[in-house]
Amino acid sequence: DVKVTQSSRYLVKRTGEKVFLECVQDMDHENMFWYRQDPGLGLRLIYFSYDVKMKEKGDIPEGYSVSREKKERFSLILESASTNQTSMYLCASSPPASQPGGYTFGSGTRLTVV
Amino acid sequence: DQQVKQNSPSLSVQEGRISILNCDYTNSMFDYFLWYKKYPAEGPTFLISISSIKDKNEDGRFTVFLNKSAKHLSLHIVPSQPGDSAVYFCASLNTGTASKLTFGTGTRLQVTL
């Protein structure tokens, strides 16, 4: 069974901390994505990656960076956490040129910044 | 600018009746539209899709309709069941190397007994 695993289900961090959210997939997918989900705003794309060491900005990249050193792992980094980054973060992966249904999501990390 | 919009944040339907969830879009340059279902504390799961060249796609209790002139799509669930209670997201997809999903804002469906 294909899997996308996010390392933490719940995180509480302080304002100004550097935060790492980790995502690992076991499907040998080329594409990986980071979204955040907020009430009334849906899922918004932060960053995505089409290959190792490749990254592209999504719709809301400000305040975030990413790292993809290995194909199976895609990390989201909050350089200096702020309260407006309190959210549910969702990682996904897909094959290249994916058809509908080809995306697999992790269970999410609920981050609270205090 | 939200390219995919769901104007109803919530919907309540009785068990056994039809649920209709709606979605509007602004950009016609998509290959597929999709519906995802999401339970709390879980990732979204794929439900059904429709190609941009089709008008209707059906899968069991779920049917998606696409009205290209109105730039509108809808998801019909018949009959609705309590287990259908979840947040539903519509999404657009361009296939190709640069493929990525663009999601709407979501509609929370509650199916009551």
Side-chain angles (χ1 to χ4, degrees), chain A residues 2 4 12 15 23 27 33 35 47 57 61 69 74 82 89 93 96 98 101 106 108-109:
Chain A
V2 294
V4 175
V12 180
T15 301
C23 176
M27 296 159 284
F33 308 84
Y35 289 86
Y47 265 98
K57 292 181 180 179
E69 296 297 319
F74 192 35
S82 63
Y89 289 87
S93 72
S98 185
T109 296

Side-chain angles (χ1 to χ4, degrees), chain B residues 18-35:
Chain B
I18 184 171
S19 295
I20 301 176
L21 295 93
N22 295 302
C23 184
D24 297 303
Y25 59 94
T26 55
N27 185 344
S28 298
M29 303 299 291
F30 297 120
D31 297 312
Y32 290 91
F33 292 97
L34 300 81
W35 285 95

Side-chain angles (χ1 to χ4, degrees), chain B residues 2-75:
Chain B
Q2 194 85 25
Q3 296 186 14
V4 183
K5 296 180 182 179
Q6 295 174 255
N7 292 317
S8 298
S10 64
L11 175 68
S12 183
V13 172
Q14 267 191 325
E15 182 181 12
R17 308 292 290 267
I18 184 171
S19 295
I20 301 176
L21 295 93
N22 295 302
C23 184
D24 297 303
Y25 59 94
T26 55
N27 185 344
S28 298
M29 303 299 291
F30 297 120
D31 297 312
Y32 290 91
F33 292 97
L34 300 81
W35 285 95
Y36 278 79
K37 176 179 180 180
K38 186 179 185 300
Y39 294 115
E42 293 184 16
T45 54
F46 171 72
L47 198 55
I48 191 170
S49 67
I50 186 167
S51 165
S52 60
I53 62 173
K54 298 203 170 182
D55 299 321
K56 177 182 174 181
N57 188 29
E58 191 172 355
D59 183 4
R61 296 188 296 116
F62 303 94
T63 303
V64 57
F65 296 92
L66 177 61
N67 182 333
K68 289 179 277 293
S69 61
K71 294 186 178 179
H72 177 84
L73 68 152
S74 60
L75 174 68

Side-chain angles (χ1 to χ4, degrees), chain A residues 9-10 31 33 35 37-38 40-43 45 48 50 59 88 90 94-103 105-108, chain B residues 2 32-34 36 38 40-46 49-50 87 89 93-106:
Chain A
R9 294 299 299 269
Y10 300 94
N31 298 346
F33 308 84
Y35 289 86
Q37 181 193 358
D38 300 289
L41 297 175
L43 276 73
L45 182 63
F48 55 105
Y50 297 128
D59 300 317
M88 169 69 85
L90 292 156
S94 77
S98 185
Q99 298 298 308
Y103 290 77
F105 283 84
S107 297
Chain B
Q2 194 85 25
Y32 290 91
F33 292 97
L34 300 81
Y36 278 79
K38 186 179 185 300
E42 293 184 16
T45 54
F46 171 72
S49 67
I50 186 167
V87 179
F89 293 97
L93 174 66
N94 284 326
T95 57
T97 306
S99 64
K100 55 186 169 88
L101 292 166
T102 300
F103 286 90
T105 51

